């Protein structure tokens, strides 16, 4: 039996891919379940637009990725095509924002610094990781501009607070000789994000690997791609927001 999906039958063109019907939404208050709908699917991707400051040619390519995600409701394999597209658009946006002449100057300076320090020829290339390093070094992107940083940094802060309260409880049990003790509550909503968590550096070190994986051909199949739409939209919005402010100051 073939594992090929084949061409979708014309009569099923606007029918939801059966793999999208396996998921449900659960009401946290009542515990009731309901099937995920196309309206849910649309609302998920609608949340991640680009700002008006982003050039139309970038926004158009980004919306190609969003529409691929949208039509993944009917063809499940579009999820990963959408993710590949949105990562390609990120590189396109960085090149547009930085400019080829500027990135060449940046690469030359970095390679010259490397040679002066080590005596060896620098190997920095004009690729996605270098573009991200430029954005990091010139503060076109910041941790605070990413929702994932706020979520993850708070979770890390919670983990630290949880470890500290357990250590306190163990010490208190030893000091008092009690057999049990109530742990104090940790309110994650009142915890500030952990300043030591560097989400930007995580992106710089790892994101190009995923993009390269797609670029070299991939059979990866999953639907967990929304986080990268969130990240890319926030990344692009940050770099062009900075650009718009700079142009406004020049005026």
């Amino acid at each position: 039996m073939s594992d090929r999906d084949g061409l979708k039958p014309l009569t099923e063109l606007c029918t939801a891919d059966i793999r999208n019907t396996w998921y449900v939404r659960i009401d946290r208050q009542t515990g009731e379940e309901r099937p995920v709908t196309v309206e849910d699917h649309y609302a998920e991707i609608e949340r991640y637009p680009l700002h008006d400051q982003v050039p139309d040619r970038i926004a158009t390519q980004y919306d190609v990725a969003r529409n691929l995600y949208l039509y993944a409701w009917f063809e499940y394999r579009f999820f990963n095509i959408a993710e590949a597209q949105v990562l390609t658009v990120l590189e396109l946006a960085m090149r547009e924002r930085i400019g080829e002449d500027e990135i060449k100057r940046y690469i030359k300076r970095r390679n010259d610094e490397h040679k002066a320090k080590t005596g060896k020829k620098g190997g920095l290339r004009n690729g996605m990781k270098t573009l991200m390093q430029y954005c990091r070094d010139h503060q076109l992107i910041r941790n605070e501009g990413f929702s994932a940083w706020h979520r993850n940094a708070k979770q890390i802060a919670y983990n630290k607070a949880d470890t500290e309260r357990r250590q306190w409880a163990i010490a208190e049990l030893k000091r008092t000789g009690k057999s049990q003790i109530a742990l104090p509550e940790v309110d994650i909503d009142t915890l500030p994000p952990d300043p030591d968590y560097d989400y930007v550096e995580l992106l710089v070190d790892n994101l190009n690997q995923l993009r390269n994986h797609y670029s070299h051909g991939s059979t990866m199949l999953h639907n967990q791609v929304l986080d990268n739409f969130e990240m890319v939209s926030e990344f692009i919005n940050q770099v062009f927001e900075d650009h718009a402010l700079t142009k406004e100051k020049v005026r």
Side-chain angles (χ1 to χ4, degrees):
M1 182 177 179
S2 175
D3 290 330
R4 299 179 183 182
D5 285 0
L7 184 65
K8 191 162 187 174
L10 183 60
T11 55
E12 299 176 13
L13 197 59
C14 296
T15 302
D17 190 303
I18 191 172
R19 287 164 287 197
N20 286 315
T21 67
W22 297 342
Y23 300 93
V24 297
R25 291 289 173 90
I26 301 175
D27 188 311
R28 292 184 178 181
Q29 294 184 340
T30 66
E32 293 182 355
E33 296 183 359
R34 67 168 178 81
V36 172
T37 66
V38 68
E39 289 79 12
D40 296 324
H41 184 73
Y42 188 95
E44 287 175 342
I45 197 63
E46 189 182 26
R47 289 182 298 174
Y48 304 119
L50 296 182
H51 294 164
D52 291 341
Q53 294 94 330
V54 178
D56 288 347
R57 56 185 169 273
I58 303 298
T60 295
Q61 294 305 310
Y62 175 76
D63 282 335
V64 169
R66 286 211 297 173
N67 282 321
L68 279 166
Y69 181 92
L70 185 60
Y71 280 90
W73 180 258
F74 305 104
E75 175 47 65
Y76 193 84
R77 292 188 184 275
F78 282 4
F79 280 115
N80 298 103
I81 307 301
E83 184 174 47
Q85 169 69 9
V86 82
L87 294 176
T88 298
V89 175
L90 175 57
E91 180 169 354
L92 179 67
M94 288 188 289
R95 290 193 184 280
E96 171 79 14
R97 170 62 180 86
I98 299 168
E100 287 301 322
D101 290 341
E102 175 64 12
I103 196 61
K104 287 176 182 177
R105 285 192 290 269
Y106 175 76
I107 291 172
K108 184 179 185 305
R109 178 176 62 79
R110 288 278 306 274
N111 284 338
D112 288 347
E113 290 173 351
H114 179 81
K115 186 174 182 179
K117 185 176 181 179
T118 66
K120 299 179 180 179
K121 185 178 180 180
L124 201 64
R125 298 179 179 179
N126 191 345
M128 185 177 190
K129 186 169 184 177
T130 299
L131 294 168
M132 296 183 75
Q133 289 173 337
Y134 180 98
C135 291
R136 174 201 63 196
D137 294 347
H138 291 79
Q139 295 190 320
L140 300 182
I141 53 171
R142 299 173 178 83
N143 283 319
E144 293 80 1
F146 292 100
S147 299
W149 179 78
H150 291 277
R151 290 193 301 269
N152 294 348
K154 277 198 170 186
Q155 186 60 52
I156 291 171
Y158 174 82
N159 292 342
K160 286 183 177 179
D162 184 52
T163 298
E164 289 172 358
R165 71 172 179 166
R166 291 180 184 279
Q167 290 173 341
W168 168 84
I170 291 171
E172 194 67 7
L173 288 172
K174 290 180 178 179
R175 184 184 69 82
T176 62
K178 294 180 179 179
S179 59
Q180 58 183 355
I181 192 171
L183 289 174
E185 292 292 329
V186 176
D187 185 359
I188 192 170
D189 291 331
T190 64
L191 290 173
D194 183 352
D196 294 328
Y197 176 62
D198 196 340
Y199 181 70
V200 167
E201 198 62 33
L202 183 71
L203 292 177
V204 170
D205 289 342
N206 297 284
L207 192 61
N208 68 306
Q209 297 176 34
L210 178 58
R211 196 287 312 273
N212 290 344
H213 180 78
Y214 279 125
S215 297
H216 299 150
S218 171
T219 58
M220 185 158 49
L221 181 62
H222 63 84
N223 67 353
Q224 301 301 301
V225 303
L226 269 179
D227 284 349
N228 275 332
F229 274 91
E230 177 189 79
M231 178 275 296
V232 168
S233 64
E234 291 174 347
F235 195 119
I236 294 175
N237 284 334
Q238 283 188 74
V239 299
F240 282 103
E241 180 179 40
D242 176 86
H243 191 47
L245 290 173
T246 300
K247 289 195 295 184
E248 190 64 32
K249 288 179 181 178
V250 171
R251 293 175 186 172

